[in-house]
Amino acid sequence: MSAELHWVPADERPDLLAAPVLDAVRGAGGVRVAEIDPGLADTAEFCEAYGMPLGTSANCVVVAAKRGGELSYAACMVPADRRADVNGVVRRHLGARKTSFAPMDEATGLTGMEYGGITPLGLPEGWPVLVDEAVAAAAEVVVGSGLRRSKLLVPGEVLAGLRGAEVLALTR
């Protein structure tokens, strides 16, 4: 049996959004939010509990890129049923010598979002947002809200249109 989701315009429920996400969705048409059980925030558990195919969700992966002693960060948006090619496509695109998933404490500290709820909406200024072609082409995808207790439903074109966003083939 699936739990039920009640999607409402995101700016109508600011209590369900991390502060940087709220700032980013104000006035963004088509972005909706639903409250969920925070224990089900991880994508696979969320999809199973709420009766949604894994392919309807997209994960936001925070990547740390190193080059010449400099450390920078980027976000990668990939369909939940695929894996980002972090050490190939992402590393080359960022011009990094080495890339890795950012440690949880860095990712949450830098974004102001909870682990398991990180989303590309409201990321720090200047971060590249690499959006997989499948995510950009989706009519809507479920992504984090910055908090574990809710999810956003966002048109793919909104994610592709974010400041700093680039659409690429990110998965292998």
Side-chain angles (χ1 to χ4, degrees), residues 20-115:
V21 178
L22 177 58
D23 291 340
V25 301
R26 279 199 175 108
V31 178
R32 294 178 284 162
V33 66
E35 189 166 9
I36 65 165
D37 177 338
L40 300 171
D42 293 335
T43 305
E45 290 85 3
F46 164 80
C47 288
E48 184 176 335
Y50 292 94
M52 301 189 76
L54 198 56
T56 60
S57 290
N59 290 326
C60 183
V61 179
V62 177
V63 174
K66 295 178 184 176
R67 181 178 184 190
E70 295 292 317
L71 180 64
S72 61
Y73 296 91
C76 299
M77 287 302 304
V78 295
D81 56 359
R82 300 186 197 164
R83 293 185 181 271
D85 185 2
V86 172
N87 293 311
V89 173
V90 174
R91 181 185 58 76
R92 285 189 300 273
H93 184 77
L94 296 175
R97 179 184 49 78
K98 181 180 178 185
T99 52
S100 60
F101 297 110
M104 178 177 55
D105 60 331
E106 286 179 28
T108 57
L110 292 168
T111 63
M113 300 179 204
E114 296 176 355
Y115 188 74

